[in-house]
């Protein structure tokens, strides 16, 4: 049975709009688009494994971005 993430994502209207805009841009770097999609799917209630299957990414990647967004909001999605 999949483990439920303790990092529940609830977006403000501004965050949701920013992430939707980023996810829809074909000229944005691929990694930025994927991160935006991860957070949008997490906010819609999907668990990490489901998001990973949807985006063809390892669960560990989903977990990393969910956790960083939860702690740092949009700044957590930036490259380091």
């Amino acid at each position: 049975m999949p483990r439920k993430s303790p990092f529940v994502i609830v977006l403000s209207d501004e965050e949701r709009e920013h992430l939707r805009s980023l996810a829809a841009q074909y000229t944005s770097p691929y990694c930025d688009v994927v991160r935006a999609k991860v957070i949008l799917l997490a906010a819609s209630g999907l668990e990490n494994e489901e998001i990973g299957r949807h985006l063809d990414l390892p669960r560990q990647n989903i977990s990393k971005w969910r956790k960083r967004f939860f702690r740092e909001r949009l700044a957590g999605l930036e490259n380091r």
Side-chain angles (χ1 to χ4, degrees):
M1 178 169 197
R3 200 175 67 149
K4 190 165 178 69
S5 175
F7 303 105
V8 177
I9 304 298
V10 178
L11 299 174
S12 69
D13 292 338
E14 294 83 17
E15 288 171 330
R16 185 178 309 279
E17 189 55 39
H18 176 78
L19 292 169
R20 282 182 179 161
S21 174
L22 184 59
Q25 291 179 9
Y26 294 105
T27 57
S28 293
Y30 177 75
C31 60
D32 293 345
V33 171
V34 168
R35 292 171 193 169
K37 288 180 179 182
V38 165
I39 301 307
L40 287 168
L41 290 170
S44 74
L46 294 180
E47 291 299 325
N48 294 347
E49 288 193 21
E50 294 173 284
I51 296 169
R53 282 193 300 271
H54 185 74
L55 298 176
D56 196 27
L57 294 171
R59 180 192 52 78
Q60 293 84 353
N61 287 22
I62 308 303
S63 179
K64 171 186 172 178
W65 295 114
R66 181 192 286 260
K67 183 177 180 179
R68 279 181 54 176
F69 184 85
F70 182 82
R71 291 186 173 159
E72 303 172 41
R73 307 312 290 178
L74 292 172
L77 300 182
E78 297 174 4
N79 285 330
R80 293 191 179 158

